[in-house]
Amino acid sequence: MSLAVHHDDIAKPANQLEAKPLIDADRPSIVSVDFHFDAVKAPEEEAVFALENDAMKHCHALVVAAAVALTALPASAQTYPSKPIKIMVSTSAGGATDIMARILGHHITIRTGQPHVIDNRAGASGNLAMEAVARAAPDGYTLGFANTGNITINPYLFKSMTFDPLNDLIPVGPVGTVPLFLVINSKVPAKTLAEFIAYAKANPDKVSYAGAGVGTTPDLTGGEFARRAGLDKLVVVPFRGTAPATAAVIGGEVEVTFVSMGPHIEFVRNGTLRVLAAATPSRRPYVPDVPTFAEAGFPAFEMSTWFSLFAPKGTPKEIVDQLNLYTREVQAEPEARKRLEATFIDPLALTQGDFAALVKADAVKYERIVREQGIKLE
């Protein structure tokens, strides 16, 4: 916080004084107010003295007013951050959650000049990392980076948890989102979603779905699709992760599954996989010919995984708002945007309030889905 007053030996008359507040754009929580008084030549010494005295009185009033305004800012907003920030990631290094956490961390360091530390704490479906964040001091120096499942699915998926991610953490802001797409092996005799549903109904207990893991977003999405499409005879074949599940569909062992587009776009382009519908509010530019579920007769069928920053409950609002600004800024950076687009991660720039509302809505949605599918993990 700085307040500088420049006054030359001879000043302008008070009614010509010009106050010029300067806001440091690189540090939005630090305000610099700079008053400039330009020199003029006075013909007589008495006039000079009178003008100087008048100017100094006016300057003093401006300084007092500015000082009062500055002291109204919370101390945390004036000084944050003043030391390295730790970002605890809910997954191991290399995945989408980790990649986006590192992109955001780099942006925060560039904006603030403070180093960041990425702490990957994979385990217990993200509970290990998020509980550590929830128990951390709410000062903005220990943050969490998590995905949809860690926050809005786990509370309903596990029989018991030692913390509540929906109440012990503050949603700060997302960095991106990865939507899901329904894909089938191209040898399945169906070109559209309606044709696939008809084919599956005509072959009860013969059409199979590749499950990526109990309680995962693709599995919950698959179950919700089967319920809404009336495919109660769809056979679920469980796999340990999305990679082996998708590989089974690519190889023709299983007919259908839900995937994100990033790792699988080449199989779509070479015709091995056929995309039937996107669980998105609008068509995606990288698969513009693929209709949304709403277009195919399933309104409000939107399923995706967002990747977002969280803070411990009790973190000052001005710090949360400052961090939210960084989550929105980074998505507009050309280099960061290029990296996100290269991995088919859609932007999701939201204010803190809008993101908190999205988390709440997703929690309501997944509570119902988990309950209806009767899933519980120890």
Side-chain angles (χ1 to χ4, degrees), residues 27 48 51 69 115 131 159 216 252 259 322 333 338 343 365:
R27 297 292 298 277
V48 172
L51 291 172
E131 182 172 9
K159 288 184 178 180
T216 61
V259 300
Q322 184 173 334
E333 279 188 356
K338 184 178 179 181
T343 51
K365 175 174 67 178

Side-chain angles (χ1 to χ4, degrees), residues 54-112:
D54 197 19
M56 290 303 293
K57 288 180 180 179
H58 190 75
C59 174
H60 177 73
L62 288 171
V63 170
V64 170
V68 170
L70 292 174
T71 55
L73 287 172
S76 55
Q78 298 175 28
T79 60
Y80 178 83
S82 60
K83 62 181 182 179
I85 296 173
K86 178 188 288 187
I87 302 176
M88 304 186 73
V89 183
S90 64
T91 64
S92 56
T97 308
D98 175 72
I99 290 171
M100 281 185 262
R102 292 176 188 275
I103 291 174
L104 177 61
H106 176 73
H107 178 75
I108 291 174
T109 293
I110 294 299
R111 289 286 277 110
T112 67

Side-chain angles (χ1 to χ4, degrees), residues 317-332:
K317 184 180 185 301
E318 61 273 8
I319 290 179
V320 172
D321 288 343
Q322 184 173 334
L323 291 168
N324 171 265
L325 175 64
Y326 298 151
T327 67
R328 287 180 283 129
E329 286 179 342
V330 71
Q331 297 178 64

